[in-house]
Amino acid sequence: MSSNAPAVLTRRRPSIDIVDAKVAVDLATAQTYSENVFLFVPNLIGYSRIILAALSLHYMSYHPKYCTVLYCISCLLDAFDGHAARALGQSSKFGAVLDMVTDRCTTSCLLCYLTSAYPEWALAFQFLITLDFSSHYMHMYSSLITGSRSHKQVDSDVSRLLQMYYNPRTLFVVCAGNELFYIALYLLKWVHTPMSESLGMTGPLAEYTWPQLLAYVCGPICALKNFVNLVQLWKASKILVGVDLAERAKAREEELSKNQ
C-alpha cells in the first residue's frame, strides 16, 4: 500500500493547479472579454437553461402545457452545451459544474412538486432527490481529487457500468428517459382523457392516457438511472476512502523519515 501511495498522490492534473483561492478570484476578475469563461457559448446555453427551468417551475402548479414545453426545452439544451464546448474549444470546469448543478436542481424541483401531487410516495421522491445529489456530488469530488479532466471520464477498471453510462449517446437516452418518466407522472395529474377519446385510437392501449403509456415506457429507464446513481455513489465512496488511506500511508512514511 505504501509503495503505491506516492504515485496516487503526486499525479499532476493537466491544468494549472491554483492553491490560493484569492489567486483564483483575481484571475476570474481580471479575465478579458475574449477569454471570459462566464461568456463562453456553452455557459450562455447553461444560463438559458436556468431561465427556462425557472419559468417552467412558475407555471408548474397551474399551466401544465407551458410548464412541460419549457421544462423539455431546458432539458434538451443540455445535449447542446457539450457539443458547443467541444466544437468551440470552450470546455471549462465552471461549465461542467454549472451543467451538473442545473440538472440536479431542475429535477429536484420537479420531484418536490411530485411529493405534493403524490403524498403517499413523498418518501420515495425524497429518497430520489437525496440519491441524485449525493451520488453526483461525491462522484464529481472524487473525479477532481484524483485529477480527472471531467467527471464524465471513467476508466473501465474503475467501473465498466459508469464508463458505458457516460457514453454521450447512452447518457442522453438514459437522462431523457428519466426526465420523461417524471414529466409523465406530473402530467398524469392533468390528463385524464383516454386515447380512445383524445386521439380516436382503438385496441388494448386505447383506454390509457398518453402520459400513462409514457410512464410505462420510461419507468424502466428511470429505474436504471437510479441504479447507476447507487453504483456511482458506491464507487465514489471507495475512491475517497482509497485516497484517505493513501494519504494516511504517506503521512506515516513522512513521519518515519523524520524520525530516522
Side-chain angles (χ1 to χ4, degrees):
M1 175 67 186
S2 60
S3 62
N4 292 332
V8 173
L9 296 175
T10 59
R11 187 176 66 174
R12 303 295 293 176
R13 298 178 187 176
S15 58
I16 300 174
D17 286 327
I18 301 174
V19 177
D20 190 346
K22 178 63 167 59
V23 176
V25 171
D26 290 341
L27 283 173
T29 303
Q31 61 188 333
T32 63
Y33 178 79
S34 61
E35 190 66 12
N36 193 322
V37 175
F38 288 121
L39 298 179
F40 279 2
V41 172
N43 298 335
L44 294 177
I45 295 175
Y47 306 147
S48 66
R49 290 188 61 210
I50 294 173
I51 294 172
L52 289 168
L55 289 173
S56 74
L57 296 175
H58 171 73
Y59 289 112
M60 188 168 286
S61 61
Y62 69 94
H63 207 306
K65 290 183 180 180
Y66 287 172
C67 171
T68 303
V69 170
L70 291 167
Y71 190 95
C72 288
I73 294 175
S74 176
C75 291
L76 285 174
L77 285 176
D78 187 27
F80 292 96
D81 54 4
H83 291 293
R86 290 186 291 272
L88 300 173
Q90 293 183 344
S91 298
S92 63
K93 289 181 174 61
F94 170 74
V97 176
L98 175 68
D99 184 53
M100 191 193 75
V101 171
T102 301
D103 289 339
R104 305 285 73 75
C105 292
T106 303
T107 304
S108 295
C109 288
L110 177 54
L111 287 171
C112 285
Y113 181 86
L114 293 179
T115 60
S116 62
Y118 302 92
E120 67 277 16
W121 293 101
L123 187 61
F125 292 129
Q126 290 168 356
F127 169 76
L128 293 177
I129 294 172
T130 303
L131 175 61
D132 199 36
F133 266 104
S134 59
S135 170
H136 285 82
Y137 175 80
M138 293 190 71
H139 175 65
M140 176 162 280
Y141 188 80
S142 67
S143 299
L144 291 173
I145 204 171
T146 53
S148 177
R149 292 181 63 89
S150 170
H151 67 283
K152 295 181 180 180
Q153 293 179 347
V154 181
D155 294 333
S156 59
D157 54 353
V158 174
S159 173
R160 288 185 178 274
L161 176 63
L162 293 180
Q163 185 187 49
M164 290 187 293
Y165 170 72
Y166 279 110
N167 175 280
R169 292 182 179 179
T170 305
L171 186 64
F172 175 80
V173 171
V174 174
C175 290
N178 182 66
E179 294 296 335
L180 285 173
F181 176 70
Y182 295 145
I183 291 172
L185 293 183
Y186 166 71
L187 290 173
L188 281 173
K189 289 296 181 178
W190 301 89
V191 180
H192 306 290
T193 306
M195 290 187 293
S196 59
E197 297 180 22
S198 62
L199 300 177
M201 287 183 59
T202 59
L205 301 179
E207 297 308 311
Y208 292 95
T209 64
W210 66 266
Q212 284 178 311
L213 290 182
L214 183 63
Y216 288 137
V217 171
C218 296
I221 301 177
C222 178
L224 173 61
K225 173 70 167 63
N226 286 285
F227 175 74
V228 172
N229 280 346
L230 285 171
V231 173
Q232 184 169 256
L233 178 63
W234 174 238
K235 290 292 183 178
S237 300
K238 292 181 71 174
I239 290 171
L240 293 175
V241 168
V243 171
D244 283 333
L245 292 172
E247 288 178 343
R248 292 171 67 86
K250 183 180 180 181
R252 287 194 296 269
E253 287 184 353
E254 292 175 348
E255 186 66 25
L256 287 174
S257 63
K258 289 179 182 179
N259 295 332
Q260 289 177 354

